[in-house]
Amino acid sequence: MEDVWRTAGGLLALLALLGARAVHCTEAPVKPSVRVYASKSEDPKKPHRLTCNVNGFYPYGISVRWFKDGQEDPGVVSSELLQNGDWTAQIMKQLSTTIERGDLFVCEVEHVSLDQPIRQEWRLEASESARSKMVTGVVGFVLGGIFIVIGLVIYLKNKKGARQFNNCEPEEANFMN
């Protein structure tokens, strides 16, 4: 029996040396962290995939659901519950869907460690390069409009001035007399 306790003590010491955190059944539940991200399919005919990654929770019982514009979406693919090695776990829920501007997606996580569910929102946002291209286009359009107005004003002033001088006949000048 002494060998069993010595082995268990050695295992706990090894875990402590490696920096691992041992979670026991009597320890308080550990709250999950939630991260939501999107990955676009290379094929435009295929839908986007939204992933809800829930990590670092204990005990293992957890509920993860996807909502699109307030309605639960049943088209969810789930990974298996994976143990992290420190007695906590992680799970991924993926939603394959079409995304349009204005759609609101929510990954909702319920766990015994939480007073209320975690609701992580995701919306389609323009990328940084798309924003910079749009700003460049708007600035170009405004500058082009300014130059057209300035050019038109100059043209009309010159045309009006030319009309005044068209009525005048040049006098004959005799420079030899």
Side-chain angles (χ1 to χ4, degrees):
M1 191 67 167
E2 244 177 73
D3 291 335
V4 172
W5 284 111
R6 192 173 299 143
T7 304
L11 181 60
L12 288 175
L14 179 62
L15 285 173
L17 284 174
L18 295 175
R21 187 175 148 242
V23 177
H24 302 287
C25 293
T26 59
E27 192 171 314
V30 180
K31 293 182 180 181
S33 65
V34 180
R35 190 175 77 116
V36 173
Y37 55 93
S39 49
K40 187 176 179 182
S41 172
E42 295 297 322
D43 183 359
K45 295 177 184 176
K46 290 186 179 178
H48 289 75
R49 179 169 292 160
L50 295 176
T51 302
C52 183
N53 187 3
V54 183
N55 192 9
F57 57 90
Y58 178 84
Y60 299 147
I62 196 160
S63 169
V64 181
R65 300 183 301 170
W66 272 107
F67 293 88
K68 179 179 181 180
D69 296 326
Q71 301 294 318
E72 186 170 0
D73 199 317
V76 176
V77 176
S78 180
S79 71
E80 292 182 22
L81 185 76
L82 302 172
Q83 294 183 359
N84 288 332
D86 61 354
W87 296 94
T88 63
Q90 64 177 302
I91 192 167
M92 284 190 337
K93 297 276 184 159
Q94 295 181 327
L95 174 65
S96 293
T97 185
T98 55
I99 300 173
E100 296 176 9
R101 240 181 235 300
D103 286 345
L104 173 64
F105 294 89
V106 176
C107 175
E108 183 181 86
V109 178
E110 294 180 78
H111 189 256
V112 296
S113 66
L114 303 170
D115 294 332
Q116 57 187 0
I118 296 175
R119 295 180 54 87
Q120 187 74 38
E121 294 183 357
W122 186 91
R123 288 181 196 267
L124 181 63
E125 294 181 6
S127 68
E128 196 61 39
S129 70
R131 266 191 223 119
S132 67
K133 288 176 186 175
M134 185 177 68
V135 168
T136 303
V138 168
V139 168
F141 182 76
V142 169
L143 286 175
I146 290 171
F147 285 120
I148 287 174
V149 168
I150 290 172
L152 189 60
V153 167
I154 292 171
Y155 172 75
L156 291 176
K157 278 189 175 183
N158 285 342
K159 189 175 180 183
K160 184 178 177 184
R163 236 185 285 144
Q164 289 175 350
F165 291 114
N166 283 344
N167 294 338
C168 299
E169 293 288 325
E171 294 180 19
E172 287 187 29
N174 191 355
F175 295 110
M176 299 302 255
N177 288 348

